[in-house]
Amino acid sequence: MNRLRSSRAIATPLIRNPQIISSWNSRCATVFPYRLLSTDATVSGQTNEGKSSEGSSSSSSSSSNEGGKPVRGGPVSWLSLLLLMVTGGGIIVYYDNEKKRHIEDLKKGSTEPKQGPSAGVAAIGGPFNLVNQDGKSVTEKDFLGKWTLIYFGFTHCPDICPDELQKLAIAVDKLKEKSGMDIVPVFISVDPERDTVEQVHEYVKEFHPNLVGLTGTPDAVRQAARAYRVYYMKTEEEGSDYLVDHSIVMYLMSPNMEFVKFFGKNYDADALAEGIAKEITVHKGQ
């Protein structure tokens, strides 16, 4: 017992020496960073005998913070922050890529019209009563027994209508030459105020000798456009000079004058001819 007290009496002054404690802490922090807190707690317990456990814990906490940095938990906090940054960055990159892909899909869908599989017969087509380029009354019944390709436009159209009618004429000739298929091309005016019988007569003969040109009263044209779900409206009107905004679509009609398929502006003459030939072949095989 006397030897133990003697040893304790010698150890205590050494531990209370601030220079020794500081040097010892520095070495331990370098070699054993995770054990420094428990060692400081032991030293605090030896130098503060008789105090409560709460006081010992406070002394240990203040001792561990004398260096200005938290000894325990520091590396874990930096690691957590690093993981959070990596995870957050990955999420941001993922959603950014998904957003770009979604925008690209929308753009592609808006510039490349697609016709999905249909069930039954589409509600496109119906009765109409118009006048052809020779002044004769024409209805949908006059086209029964023939494959028909119908395009709605107007004779004062500066570029789109001529391009589409030229494409239509080339496709019709290709089908006749390669497959022997007879297709009746039809042009229906959506500008009845200016497209008289004479105007339509002069217009259609510039594209194809078999092109049928139809016009009529505003009510008759409106009925035909409604039957084929065609949109048209005057734009940029300046007196008698104006343009007509309208749907740019060709409708393939069967010999029963039933809708088969539409072809948009994205088809060129070759693709149009191939598409029509395919639809006619499938229809005949049914």
Side-chain angles (χ1 to χ4, degrees), residues 15 24 36-48 56 60:
I15 295 175
W24 186 81
L36 183 57
L37 183 62
S38 59
T39 305
D40 288 346
T42 304
V43 174
S44 177
Q46 292 177 349
T47 56
N48 294 283
S56 176
S60 173

Side-chain angles (χ1 to χ4, degrees), residues 8 18 21 51 78-79 98 105 112 161 177 209 258 283:
R8 187 168 187 172
I21 293 176
K51 293 186 178 181
W78 280 108
L79 179 60
E98 286 296 308
D105 289 343
E112 299 181 6
C161 292
E177 294 172 4
E258 295 178 347
H283 188 271

Side-chain angles (χ1 to χ4, degrees):
M1 180 66 69
N2 292 334
R3 182 180 298 177
L4 177 60
R5 289 179 180 177
S6 175
S7 299
R8 187 168 187 172
I10 295 173
T12 301
L14 291 176
I15 295 175
R16 289 181 179 178
N17 189 317
Q19 295 181 352
I20 296 176
I21 293 176
S22 176
S23 176
W24 186 81
N25 281 342
S26 298
R27 295 177 181 177
C28 289
T30 303
V31 180
F32 306 105
Y34 294 101
R35 297 186 178 181
L36 183 57
L37 183 62
S38 59
T39 305
D40 288 346
T42 304
V43 174
S44 177
Q46 292 177 349
T47 56
N48 294 283
E49 292 181 354
K51 293 186 178 181
S52 64
S53 60
E54 181 180 356
S56 176
S57 177
S58 299
S59 175
S60 173
S61 176
S62 61
S63 175
S64 63
N65 290 328
E66 286 178 356
K69 297 182 180 179
V71 176
R72 191 182 184 108
V76 177
S77 299
W78 280 108
L79 179 60
S80 300
L81 179 60
L82 179 61
L83 291 176
L84 179 62
M85 291 174 64
V86 172
T87 304
I91 293 174
I92 292 173
V93 171
Y94 171 78
Y95 280 102
D96 184 59
N97 291 336
E98 286 296 308
K99 181 180 178 181
K100 290 180 180 179
R101 184 184 64 80
H102 182 63
I103 292 174
E104 289 299 324
D105 289 343
L106 291 177
K107 289 182 179 179
K108 185 176 180 181
S110 63
T111 55
E112 299 181 6
K114 295 181 180 179
Q115 179 171 335
S118 60
V121 179
I124 296 177
F128 58 81
N129 192 344
L130 299 169
V131 181
N132 69 9
Q133 71 269 29
D134 297 324
K136 296 180 180 180
S137 178
V138 175
T139 69
E140 77 284 353
K141 295 179 181 179
D142 291 299
F143 299 99
L144 291 175
K146 308 168 186 176
W147 283 93
T148 308
L149 191 61
I150 302 176
Y151 176 78
F152 288 78
F154 65 110
T155 64
H156 289 76
C157 182
D159 47 20
I160 295 178
C161 292
D163 291 343
E164 292 299 295
L165 289 175
Q166 186 68 29
K167 179 172 66 178
L168 182 150
I170 295 173
V172 168
D173 287 340
K174 285 181 176 290
L175 286 168
K176 180 65 176 178
E177 294 172 4
K178 294 183 177 181
S179 307
M181 298 178 179
D182 288 319
I183 308 295
V184 179
V186 178
F187 167 79
I188 300 179
S189 171
V190 291
D191 185 14
E193 296 179 12
R194 294 182 298 185
D195 288 347
T196 63
V197 172
E198 294 77 16
Q199 178 70 19
V200 172
H201 179 83
E202 294 298 321
Y203 187 71
V204 296
K205 71 180 183 180
E206 296 180 4
F207 299 98
H208 198 279
N210 297 334
L211 180 59
V212 177
L214 300 177
T215 186
T217 65
D219 288 340
V221 169
R222 189 179 303 109
Q223 179 182 353
R226 185 180 297 114
Y228 284 84
R229 305 296 188 266
V230 172
Y231 158 83
Y232 69 97
M233 183 181 68
K234 287 183 179 180
T235 62
E236 301 181 13
E237 186 171 1
E238 294 181 3
S240 60
D241 188 18
Y242 58 85
L243 297 177
V244 180
D245 186 21
H246 62 89
S247 305
I248 307 174
V249 179
M250 296 182 190
Y251 299 94
L252 179 63
M253 308 300 290
S254 73
N256 296 324
M257 281 303 286
E258 295 178 347
F259 170 74
V260 177
K261 186 174 182 177
F262 68 83
F263 298 92
K265 189 174 180 295
N266 55 308
Y267 284 81
D268 59 18
D270 291 334
L272 179 60
E274 292 175 4
I276 293 174
K278 179 180 178 181
E279 293 300 326
I280 292 177
T281 302
V282 171
H283 188 271
K284 288 182 178 180
Q286 292 178 349

